[in-house]
Each structure stands twice: as C-alpha cells, then as structure tokens.
Amino acid sequence: MLIGFDGEPDHVHLLIDLQPDNNLSNLVSFLKSASSRILRQQFGELRRTGEKQSSGTILNPVAVHP
C-alpha cells in the first residue's frame, strides 16, 4: 500500500507498506518498467539507446512495530 510520496524533477520518494512475504524486488522492477513505458509513450524522443544505466534504486527498509 502506498503511504506517501514526494519527488524532485529527476526522482521520486515512495513510502510503501509491504508485508514481509511481498517481493520488494518485483515491485521495484514493475514500477520502473511501467514508468519507463509511460515516459517513452509521452515523449517520443526518449528512445532506447541500448545503453545500460545504473539502477538508481535506493531502498531504506523501515520496520514499524505497533
């Protein structure tokens, strides 16, 4: 569940509540591929160049116990 979000012109911050059995890596992969697809559709000049860029993913797990 998305708890909160914020961002800058070149990146976003997401606060997501996941259960321990959810696969965080699959979620990040899905979000990155979906956002890339949307950006390429909206901005035709963004073409795949075949160059591999860094993942740009930073995960900071936070455990909250009620």
Side-chain angles (χ1 to χ4, degrees):
M1 175 185 341
L2 181 64
I3 303 297
F5 65 94
D6 194 7
E8 302 294 326
D10 62 347
H11 67 276
V12 296
H13 302 261
L14 301 175
L15 180 58
I16 300 173
D17 180 22
L18 289 178
Q19 298 300 315
D21 60 336
N22 290 124
N23 189 328
L24 183 58
S25 137
N26 286 348
L27 174 64
V28 170
S29 178
F30 170 79
L31 291 172
K32 289 176 71 171
S33 65
S35 62
S36 175
R37 184 173 44 256
I38 291 168
L39 287 171
R40 284 193 316 271
Q41 289 173 351
Q42 291 183 359
F43 303 98
E45 65 273 13
L46 296 177
R47 299 275 185 241
R48 291 185 181 187
T49 62
E51 296 178 14
K52 176 73 174 159
Q53 296 187 7
S54 68
S55 71
T57 303
I58 299 173
L59 303 174
N60 292 321
V62 177
V64 178
H65 300 283

